[in-house]
Amino acid sequence: MMQQTSRTVAANLSLSLDGRYHGPGGPADFGAFLPYVATDTARDHLVRLCAGATTAVLGRGNAEGFLGYWSPVAGDEAADPRDRAYARWLVDTPKVVLSRTLGTAPWPRARVVDAPAADVVRGLRDAGQGDVLVNSSPSVIKPLLAADLIDRLYLLIAPVIVGGGERLFDDGLPGTTWTLSSQVVGAQGEVAAVYDRVR
């Protein structure tokens, strides 16, 4: 019998209509998403998803990109207040970075762990308080979906079909049921959706 805890494991990601998180040019091919990730809908979604989270989990690549981009935003008084709030959360929150290659974390309040994502997140889920947020890291989200360890999905769905690139939902995942807890439709057709796992 699964141990009940107070910690929700959540994950966030931007997806295209064809379920991809980057375009056919590889992980850096994010151009199709750019018109939608800085809208009011997306910014409100960003603030909402980190509101209850007290631990961030990231893959190495996302940690390098996110912390490099967002750290200066935390202190930028000219930035949108929602961007600044998210950036401060990311900088100040304890972070677990999954990596096979990093020895130590070059970021404050971060530790590097070289272990399977499911094992790491089970350990986090069963100890501590507040939500665990897997922050826009598909290399971590995918094995957690395969292990049925995600309780909530925050998805920003862009109204584009990119036609190539990696998909979040691979064949072979266990069948699961989700309920739509929240949805906000933006002016450009982007949808900020929150799905909760039915257990």
Side-chain angles (χ1 to χ4, degrees):
M1 186 170 171
M2 185 184 298
Q3 178 183 357
Q4 295 297 312
T5 75
S6 60
R7 299 200 89 180
T8 295
V9 178
N12 72 296
L13 202 60
S14 297
L15 293 179
S16 63
L17 287 178
D18 50 343
R20 302 176 194 273
Y21 51 87
H22 64 68
D29 185 358
F30 201 68
F33 296 90
L34 290 179
Y36 310 101
V37 295
T39 64
D40 283 337
T41 300
R43 284 182 159 127
D44 291 343
H45 185 64
L46 203 59
V47 171
R48 186 168 47 249
L49 66 89
C50 67
T54 58
T55 305
V57 178
L58 304 102
R60 179 195 53 78
N62 281 83
E64 290 173 346
F66 269 51
L67 291 162
Y69 175 81
W70 286 105
S71 293
V73 176
D76 183 357
E77 294 301 320
D80 185 286
R82 295 163 295 185
D83 291 351
R84 207 164 53 245
Y86 172 76
R88 286 177 178 159
W89 171 83
L90 185 61
V91 169
D92 293 341
T93 297
K95 292 167 281 295
V96 176
V97 178
L98 299 178
S99 174
R100 294 187 185 96
T101 56
L102 278 180
T104 58
W107 312 284
R109 287 171 289 288
R111 63 185 172 99
V112 173
V113 178
D114 179 5
D119 293 346
V120 172
V121 169
R122 276 190 196 97
L124 293 170
R125 181 197 63 189
D126 294 340
Q129 304 262 327
D131 295 351
V132 176
L133 177 63
V134 183
N135 202 3
S136 196
S137 296
S139 65
V140 180
I141 297 170
K142 285 183 168 191
L144 297 183
L145 285 169
D148 194 17
L149 286 171
I150 295 181
D151 304 305
R152 179 170 296 142
L153 282 169
Y154 292 95
L155 301 177
L156 181 69
I157 302 166
V160 293
I161 293 173
V162 296
E166 295 290 327
R167 285 195 171 97
L168 177 60
F169 302 109
D170 293 328
D171 289 345
L173 288 174
T176 55
T177 302
W178 300 76
T179 185
L180 180 63
S181 301
S182 171
Q183 65 175 338
V184 179
V185 180
Q188 299 184 69
E190 72 279 16
V191 179
V194 182
Y195 287 93
D196 284 311
R197 175 78 171 89
V198 177
R199 299 196 185 275

